[in-house]
Amino acid sequence: MAELKVRDLSEQDLAGIESSAKRAHLSREAYLRELIHHDATDHLLSGDVSDLRELTRQMAIVIEQNTKAYLDFVDAVRRLPSEN
């Protein structure tokens, strides 16, 4: 695996990293490794997320239209003369 060395990190930034790593119950190294991994792979998912948002929007429209059609059908059936 590759190694990475970060220079000139402020004490304040380091303290923030330490605090975040502690909250995540990770070592500083493991925490930074996760941050780097998420940042490095985020662009791979961004297109999928956009596609999923659009698909969700379209499905909401379809569900709304189907619900209206169903309610109209139920209303029409209720208006049919009864056979009693």
Side-chain angles (χ1 to χ4, degrees):
M1 295 209 108
E3 268 189 46
L4 177 67
K5 184 175 186 174
V6 178
R7 295 186 178 110
D8 301 323
L9 190 63
S10 74
E11 291 296 323
Q12 185 178 4
D13 288 345
L14 183 58
I17 290 167
E18 292 282 355
S19 177
S20 295
K22 192 174 198 176
R23 278 193 308 274
H25 303 289
L26 295 170
S27 68
R28 180 175 53 192
E29 185 175 317
Y31 177 76
L32 290 171
R33 194 170 24 253
E34 281 193 13
L35 279 180
I36 292 168
H37 174 72
H38 288 297
D39 188 67
T41 58
D42 189 47
H43 69 281
L44 298 173
L45 299 176
S46 62
D48 292 339
V49 171
S50 295
D51 292 346
L52 184 57
R53 281 192 186 117
E54 177 59 21
L55 183 59
T56 302
R57 187 189 68 75
Q58 290 175 10
M59 291 306 301
I61 292 168
V62 169
I63 290 169
E64 187 176 309
Q65 291 170 343
N66 286 346
T67 300
K68 183 183 178 327
Y70 172 75
L71 292 174
D72 290 347
F73 172 76
V74 169
D75 189 46
V77 169
R78 286 184 179 151
R79 289 188 213 167
L80 290 175
S82 79
E83 294 184 19
N84 292 335

